Amino acid sequence: MSTPLLLQALAGLSLPALGAAVLTGGRLRRSATAAEAREAELRRELAELTAERDALQRTASCDPLTGVWNYRHLQLTLDREVERARRVDPGAPPRPLALLMLEIAGFDAVVAEHGRGRGNAVLRDLAQRLSVEIRRSDTLGRYGGEEFLVVLPDTGPEGAAHVAERLCWTVRRHQLLDWSPAGPAPRRPVSGNGLTAAVGVAVLPEDGGHAALLLRAADRALAAARAAGGDCWRSPADAGPAVTGGQGVREAGPEVGPGAAAEPVGNSRTGHGGSSRPELAGAVRSDPADAPRTEPQQIPGTLSPCTGKATLTPAGAAHTPAVAAEPGS
């Protein structure tokens, strides 16, 4: 066969193969485009499912009234932090862990005067205000009614005392919604805002080695603070015979005069450290007229309700901290 005939035969055979290759390439490009569109659709659906999951997780873990963590999340957090505190090298003491049980008194008068709706608004505003008084690593949640629980990892007795003192002061000096400059004429009590806080303090390992014991110890301490008249904090040791009179000062604690100011003690915002139980007295109710007109050190809060390492929607947008009243007002 001559060369021209061979070339013509090869050209005739290659044309169908070339057409098939072009068709195959077109199909592959269309398949790739469809796969990319499908992948984008799947990613969009995955993002929507993730957002819905985070919203459901947030709803299941947050208190709907106050916007802070609820009882379920508090139990899970406390169990996790207790296990973390006890996870140390053999022979080493457990890491410190403090638990505060806080009860707010005085809401009955607010509800009686303004109604349940306004009372709930005041409770939510106060819960938001308390949440900025602790560290980002701490957990504040509603335990039930007007009771709140605060979990303080890596916090000893001294740091827990500082936080309890500051929370009592915050409740006492909180600016109620009705007393804002744009609101109606205020009908303020003679001293403070009519709200007080009683705080029970329990520390691991001194007061218990697991969550149930810590909760029981904090509840006993809260009962002692309530029996002392509120507006103070107590430890489980104060629930015994050491609590005397209305002041409930520890036997080993420093003397506190009748006109002593009940201002926050120290600043434990950046660390509530301490490994030994301090010989401190609980907060003492004092007359605001006798208290010095000094403003405690104000440090911007970093905690938002319902925040943490979980993939939850940040609650900073819903955070509406109130402005505390001037100490001398």
Side-chain angles (χ1 to χ4, degrees), residues 152-171:
L152 306 173
D154 300 317
T155 302
E158 292 183 0
H162 294 164
V163 177
E165 189 77 41
R166 187 168 67 248
L167 294 181
C168 287
W169 185 91
T170 299
V171 172

Side-chain angles (χ1 to χ4, degrees), residues 198-227:
V199 183
V201 180
V203 181
L204 184 147
E206 290 89 338
D207 300 319
H210 56 82
L213 292 179
L214 284 177
L215 286 170
R216 195 176 307 165
D219 188 62
R220 292 200 315 269
L222 176 60
R226 193 187 302 115

Side-chain angles (χ1 to χ4, degrees), residues 46 79 96 197-198 314:
L46 179 61
D79 291 339

Side-chain angles (χ1 to χ4, degrees), residues 4-290:
L5 293 177
L6 181 60
L7 292 177
Q8 290 178 3
L10 291 176
L13 294 175
S14 62
L15 286 176
L18 182 59
V22 171
L23 292 176
T24 303
R27 293 194 186 98
L28 291 176
R29 283 194 297 271
R30 287 192 296 271
S31 299
T33 303
E36 291 178 358
R38 180 59 179 167
E39 183 179 359
E41 179 68 16
L42 291 176
R43 293 192 182 196
R44 185 183 63 80
E45 293 180 1
L46 179 61
E48 292 179 356
L49 291 175
T50 302
E52 292 178 0
R53 182 206 62 186
D54 292 343
L56 291 174
Q57 186 176 0
R58 180 182 178 83
T59 302
S61 300
C62 290
D63 179 63
L65 176 61
T66 59
V68 297
W69 296 116
N70 62 9
Y71 177 84
R72 171 182 174 273
H73 184 84
L74 285 173
Q75 290 286 351
L76 296 176
T77 300
L78 181 59
D79 291 339
R80 182 178 66 249
E81 292 298 338
V82 168
E83 289 300 323
R84 190 180 72 87
R86 298 173 60 181
R87 195 182 304 120
V88 294
D89 296 333
R95 298 185 182 92
L97 173 67
L99 182 68
L100 307 185
M101 188 175 291
L102 181 145
E103 182 182 52
I104 302 174
F107 273 103
D108 292 341
V110 176
V111 173
E113 182 176 358
H114 302 286
R116 176 62 61 181
R118 182 56 58 88
N120 290 340
V122 171
L123 180 62
R124 175 182 176 84
D125 193 63
L126 182 56
Q128 298 287 323
R129 182 68 180 91
L130 291 174
S131 67
V132 302
E133 294 296 331
I134 56 178
R135 303 170 301 181
R136 184 178 296 274
S137 59
D138 302 334
T139 302
L140 169 73
R142 188 184 181 197
Y143 196 61
E146 285 85 40
E147 290 188 1
F148 295 86
L149 205 65
V150 186
V151 182
L152 306 173
D154 300 317
T155 302
E158 292 183 0
H162 294 164
V163 177
E165 189 77 41
R166 187 168 67 248
L167 294 181
C168 287
W169 185 91
T170 299
V171 172
R172 186 189 316 124
R173 307 305 302 173
H174 179 65
Q175 179 81 36
L176 295 184
L177 298 177
D178 291 297
W179 299 344
S180 61
R187 298 167 56 183
R188 303 186 61 166
V190 177
S191 62
N193 55 13
L195 302 179
T196 58
V199 183
V201 180
V203 181
L204 184 147
E206 290 89 338
D207 300 319
H210 56 82
L213 292 179
L214 284 177
L215 286 170
R216 195 176 307 165
D219 188 62
R220 292 200 315 269
L222 176 60
R226 193 187 302 115
D231 200 15
C232 61
W233 63 269
R234 292 291 184 267
S235 67
D238 297 321
V243 179
T244 59
Q247 300 297 335
V249 180
R250 284 179 161 185
E251 293 179 347
E255 294 185 359
V256 181
E263 295 297 326
V265 180
N267 173 26
S268 56
R269 198 178 197 94
T270 57
H272 309 316
S275 58
S276 60
R277 178 176 295 281
E279 297 180 345
L280 297 176
V284 179
R285 182 190 296 274
S286 61
D287 187 357
D290 299 332

Side-chain angles (χ1 to χ4, degrees), residues 173 261 263 288-296 326-329:
R173 307 305 302 173
E263 295 297 326
D290 299 332
R293 300 177 62 87
T294 58
E295 184 72 21
E326 294 295 330
S329 59

